[in-house]
Amino acid sequence: MEIIEEIPRLIREGKKKLEHILNSSELKFHHELILGYNKLQNHGSINRLYKIDNIYAMKDLLDNGYSSKIDLIYIDPPFFTMADYYHRIEVLGKDGKEVIEYKAYSDIWKNGLIEYLDMVTIRLYLMKELLSDIGSIYVHVDYRTVHYIKIIMDCIFGRENFLNEVIWAYKSGGTSSKYYSRKHDNILVYTKTDKYIFNPQKEKSYNRDFKPYRFKGIKEYEDKLGWYTLVNLKDVWNINMVGRTSKERVGYGTQKPTSLLERIILSSSNENSIVADFFAGSGTTAIVAERHNRRWICSDIGNASILTIRKRLASESKNAYELLNDKSNEGDIKLNLDLDVKVDNNNKIIDINLNRYDLDLNSIKFKKGQKDILKKIQKENSLRLVDYIGIGYIDKYNKLIIKEERYRSFNNLIIDRCIRVPIYQESRKSMCIKCIDIFGNELLQTL
Ligand SMILES: C[S@@+](CC[C@H](N)C(=O)[O-])C[C@H]1O[C@@H](n2cnc3c(N)ncnc32)[C@H](O)[C@@H]1O
């Protein structure tokens, strides 16, 4: 059957599934991980990152009063590329840097395009429930699916609420001699109603021949290229991809540039608005929202994504906490962090010395040849496999309040072995250390 003939069925079934999800108590959030970030100095806002399939994250939000509360949703779901995506990390071995890649997420759909569209449809229905009456949704896809998604969006959000198709054009990627090189993505913009937030942003428009026009009443500016005026943003955006040499690169395969999200967030939300991204990846939306004083909610299912976001946020936002549950320390993989703790009660400080990190590398799937490299590094210095250390305490609500963070970055591949922290008076008995390895395996130990 033709794909187009299947779309009415997807829409009908999506609607039924929505009713089921809204009314179901079985589908309650089975808590995997929620990270919160309190921006106390600002509006006391609570920002959160869910590690779970976004259906559960959205259900949790709807059950907790977020219906029609989100002013801007940006999603950048898998594009139906039929490929796996890898997270690229550098680890320091005895002989220098080694590059390790492991699967971040899969964009392979065994049952084809219908399975993919079905996945997207039900989630779009849920997003509509969360979107406020002055809200907008940006759906970032590409030539493979945009025409089908446009029809699905028309059915769910209404053709009259279609605002724009933004073309994001870039130079990176390969070329072909068999067809025109594919150098753009498509971002469909819909609103919930005809009253929506829109703050026009400006861009440079260079004068012909880069010379001044000197028209009366029109302000002109000059830069290295020549003379220009400022005009309202058009719907074709030329923004560079996050390339190999880009400063903001974090190694996540499908990371989007902050300047792309900046345009979207500044145009379609206000300070204090809630901005959401349910396919968060490396967390670009959260980072930009944080920088521009928006509240944010993100979700992703992948270890690599959550770890990347956690580290990116550590340098942007303080006051992180984690909602703990009985399963917070239960993974499939056996882990152990061997450490010594020295308490100096007079000076109210603790010295933590990390000795060894144990992880069973046989339980992780790697690209060919990489396990041996890692085994060698593990033997030489197992702490090189640790990516993040958080130190804090557990409060009376079973929240892990993270006070100190140490993490590896592109420029610094080693975590300090010795960490000195103050004794947190709030809860000295429940001081904890959170350790996350480069694969995103998490461990929580009492100090
Ligand atoms: C294209 S990436 C997003 C990249 C992101 N915009 C950035 O700037 O890094 C898509 C993400 O969707 C996540 N994902 C796929 N299916 C999901 C689901 N059902 N629930 C939550 N996240 C999902 C993947 O793990 C992946 O990180």
Side-chain angles (χ1 to χ4, degrees):
M1 197 182 274
E2 289 291 329
I3 304 287
I4 196 75
E5 290 170 36
E6 290 277 306
I7 288 184
R9 181 182 63 77
L10 291 182
I11 297 292
R12 267 195 321 273
E13 285 179 4
K15 209 165 191 178
K16 268 195 214 152
K17 281 185 206 160
L18 173 72
E19 293 303 319
H20 173 72
I21 292 171
L22 292 181
N23 300 323
S24 160
S25 53
E26 293 146 40
L27 247 170
K28 280 241 177 272
F29 186 60
H30 54 81
H31 187 142
E32 214 169 298
L33 173 71
I34 303 181
L35 285 173
Y37 294 83
N38 274 343
K39 209 170 184 182
L40 295 174
Q41 70 277 26
N42 208 343
H43 353 76
S45 63
I46 295 171
N47 303 321
R48 66 169 71 168
L49 169 63
Y50 288 91
K51 181 186 175 195
I52 197 146
D53 185 317
N54 47 25
I55 284 201
Y56 293 98
M58 288 192 268
K59 165 74 172 158
D60 188 55
L61 291 168
L62 289 168
D63 285 349
N64 285 291
Y66 282 85
S67 172
S68 300
K69 288 285 183 328
I70 297 180
D71 285 343
L72 170 62
I73 299 177
Y74 164 83
I75 57 162
D76 172 23
F79 280 10
F80 193 69
T81 55
M82 290 294 184
D84 285 331
Y85 286 86
Y86 287 82
H87 185 46
R88 189 176 186 279
I89 32 179
E90 289 179 347
V91 188
L92 207 55
K94 233 181 179 171
D95 310 321
K97 276 183 197 171
E98 300 281 3
V99 173
I100 303 293
E101 288 185 300
Y102 66 93
K103 205 188 328 175
Y105 69 95
S106 175
D107 188 11
I108 295 177
W109 305 84
K110 276 190 213 130
N111 300 319
L113 187 54
I114 291 294
E115 182 190 0
Y116 171 85
L117 294 176
D118 189 34
M119 178 283 284
V120 175
T121 305
I122 175 57
R123 287 166 175 82
L124 289 175
Y125 267 114
L126 284 162
M127 287 175 211
K128 189 178 176 199
E129 294 295 311
L130 290 165
L131 202 60
S132 75
D133 288 344
I134 51 167
S136 319
I137 175 166
Y138 286 62
V139 180
H140 185 153
V141 284
D142 75 4
Y143 67 94
R144 296 176 182 90
T145 61
V146 62
H147 307 95
Y148 300 112
I149 301 275
K150 167 75 173 67
I151 294 170
I152 292 172
M153 291 293 287
D154 278 351
C155 295
I156 298 176
F157 287 87
R159 203 150 58 92
E160 66 285 5
N161 292 321
F162 174 52
L163 208 63
N164 275 115
E165 177 181 8
V166 172
I167 300 297
W168 170 34
Y170 39 77
K171 287 183 277 186
S172 318
T175 59
S176 171
S177 54
K178 296 205 173 121
Y179 48 82
Y180 302 115
S181 303
R182 292 169 179 146
K183 297 293 168 199
H184 78 272
D185 287 4
N186 312 62
I187 306 177
L188 300 174
V189 189
Y190 282 72
T191 59
K192 179 101 166 248
T193 66
D194 59 358
K195 292 193 180 51
Y196 51 88
I197 301 171
F198 194 75
N199 309 309
Q201 302 296 303
K202 298 284 183 194
E203 66 177 330
K204 290 179 182 177
S205 173
Y206 285 98
N207 298 354
R208 233 164 263 139
D209 300 328
F210 300 101
K211 292 191 178 131
Y213 289 147
R214 302 200 202 288
F215 292 143
K216 250 195 176 167
I218 297 179
K219 256 194 157 179
E220 291 180 293
Y221 308 85
E222 192 187 13
D223 68 9
K224 278 186 278 177
L225 283 180
W227 287 86
Y228 64 88
T229 53
L230 286 177
V231 296
N232 285 344
L233 258 187
K234 295 180 280 251
D235 59 1
V236 177
W237 298 355
N238 288 297
I239 296 176
N240 287 335
M241 273 191 170
V242 180
R244 277 182 192 277
T245 54
S246 165
K247 274 203 187 117
E248 61 186 84
R249 185 176 162 88
V250 290
Y252 200 81
T254 46
Q255 180 187 355
K256 298 301 177 295
T258 46
S259 46
L260 177 76
L261 266 299
E262 223 142 52
R263 286 189 174 186
I264 295 172
I265 288 177
L266 292 177
S267 300
S268 293
S269 69
N270 292 326
E271 278 208 8
N272 212 19
S273 282
I274 304 179
V275 173
D277 182 344
F278 296 107
F279 294 87
S282 67
T284 315
T285 306
I287 295 298
V288 176
E290 190 72 36
R291 285 182 191 160
H292 291 283
N293 288 326
R294 271 62 173 173
R295 293 177 282 167
W296 55 265
I297 298 170
C298 286
S299 65
D300 203 287
I301 26 173
N303 274 5
S305 155
I306 301 298
L307 178 55
T308 307
I309 302 178
R310 197 194 271 266
K311 291 200 304 173
R312 271 183 107 180
L313 280 168
S315 58
E316 297 280 338
S317 162
K318 294 286 158 233
N319 310 311
Y321 64 84
E322 193 173 317
L323 300 183
L324 300 175
N325 67 354
D326 304 341
K327 292 191 179 138
S328 287
N329 225 6
E330 250 178 42
D332 303 333
I333 301 173
K334 281 231 165 321
L335 316 165
N336 182 47
L337 180 67
D338 183 57
L339 48 81
D340 297 321
V341 178
K342 250 195 227 151
V343 182
D344 177 348
N345 269 319
N346 288 337
N347 294 317
K348 298 192 170 38
I349 48 172
I350 300 186
D351 281 307
I352 304 163
N353 266 304
L354 308 180
N355 299 326
R356 212 185 57 248
Y357 176 67
D358 298 317
L359 154 79
D360 177 10
L361 287 169
N362 290 322
S363 48
I364 301 169
K365 272 195 182 150
F366 296 104
K367 275 191 164 176
K368 233 181 158 190
Q370 302 216 317
K371 195 184 282 175
D372 292 340
I373 300 175
L374 281 163
K375 278 191 170 159
K376 194 167 151 262
I377 294 174
Q378 190 179 39
K379 220 170 166 189
E380 288 161 10
N381 183 351
S382 57
L383 290 172
R384 295 278 157 92
L385 305 185
V386 173
D387 203 38
Y388 170 96
I389 294 284
I391 299 165
Y393 62 89
I394 299 177
D395 75 1
K396 57 182 176 196
Y397 305 106
N398 207 22
K399 267 190 200 167
L400 170 65
I401 311 289
I402 301 170
K403 301 289 276 185
E404 293 282 334
E405 292 175 287
R406 301 279 192 279
Y407 47 91
R408 289 172 3 115
S409 66
F410 260 22
N411 304 325
N412 183 8
L413 299 180
I414 304 174
I415 283 203
D416 303 335
R417 273 195 113 108
C418 310
I419 306 172
R420 170 169 285 189
V421 291
I423 298 176
Y424 307 122
Q425 290 311 318
E426 295 95 325
S427 194
R428 62 175 290 169
K429 276 191 202 138
S430 61
M431 277 188 66
C432 282
I433 182 163
K434 174 110 202 172
C435 167
I436 311 178
D437 67 31
I438 53 175
F439 310 105
N441 299 308
E442 305 203 1
L443 175 76
L444 183 66
Q445 255 171 237
T446 311
L447 282 176

